[in-house]
Amino acid sequence: QVQLVESGGGLVQAGGSLKLSCAVSGRTLQTYVMGWFRQAPGQEREFVASIIGSRTYYADSVKGRFTISKDNAKNMVYLQMNNLKPEDTAVYYCAANRILRLSPQYDYWGQGTQVTVSS
């Protein structure tokens, strides 16, 4: 069993930055693909970024602005978000899965953290 706890969300002005953190317990990070997803009101949950080993994957909408990283020693996953836009407003979820997917069919999910970007 894997437990995921996100933190770091908040309210930020357009053009600003936030760094989300995900604390992972129950298994080591090397065992899983780690991903970030987001869900805006009335919309489906969508892929943001994922990391497996040293390889990273990003949605086109966040490429060049967001960076996913992990610290295996601390069992932490991060999402650095720069140049935020109002359309980035959503609940952001950390997720873990045994295989790489760019769709939200992941085995384990955190509770989510709200990110709100004001214009």
Side-chain angles (χ1 to χ4, degrees):
Q1 191 74 352
V2 177
Q3 294 82 42
L4 308 172
V5 178
E6 304 97 333
S7 60
L11 173 64
V12 63
Q13 288 189 332
S17 298
L18 279 176
K19 186 174 184 178
L20 305 183
S21 299
C22 175
V24 183
S25 60
R27 288 287 190 270
T28 58
L29 283 184
Q30 291 94 322
T31 308
Y32 290 93
V33 177
M34 299 304 301
W36 287 96
F37 291 79
R38 66 187 181 186
Q39 189 167 17
Q43 298 187 19
E44 294 186 352
R45 193 167 297 188
E46 67 174 4
F47 169 77
V48 175
S50 65
I51 185 167
I52 175 170
S54 60
R55 290 175 291 164
T56 57
Y57 304 84
Y58 296 95
D60 287 343
S61 59
V62 306
K63 276 181 184 176
R65 300 188 298 122
F66 291 12
T67 303
I68 188 172
S69 63
K70 63 178 181 173
D71 185 330
N72 290 334
K74 295 182 178 179
N75 256 21
M76 294 290 294
V77 182
Y78 306 99
L79 186 68
Q80 177 67 48
M81 306 185 293
N82 297 329
N83 190 22
L84 283 160
K85 305 176 181 180
E87 51 264 41
D88 295 318
T89 295
V91 177
Y92 283 71
Y93 296 91
C94 178
N97 204 50
R98 290 193 178 273
I99 60 173
L100 177 65
R101 295 183 190 275
L102 302 187
S103 59
Q105 279 80 44
Y106 273 51
D107 292 331
Y108 302 101
W109 293 87
Q111 82 287 352
T113 185
Q114 176 70 47
V115 172
T116 303
V117 184
S118 63
S119 57

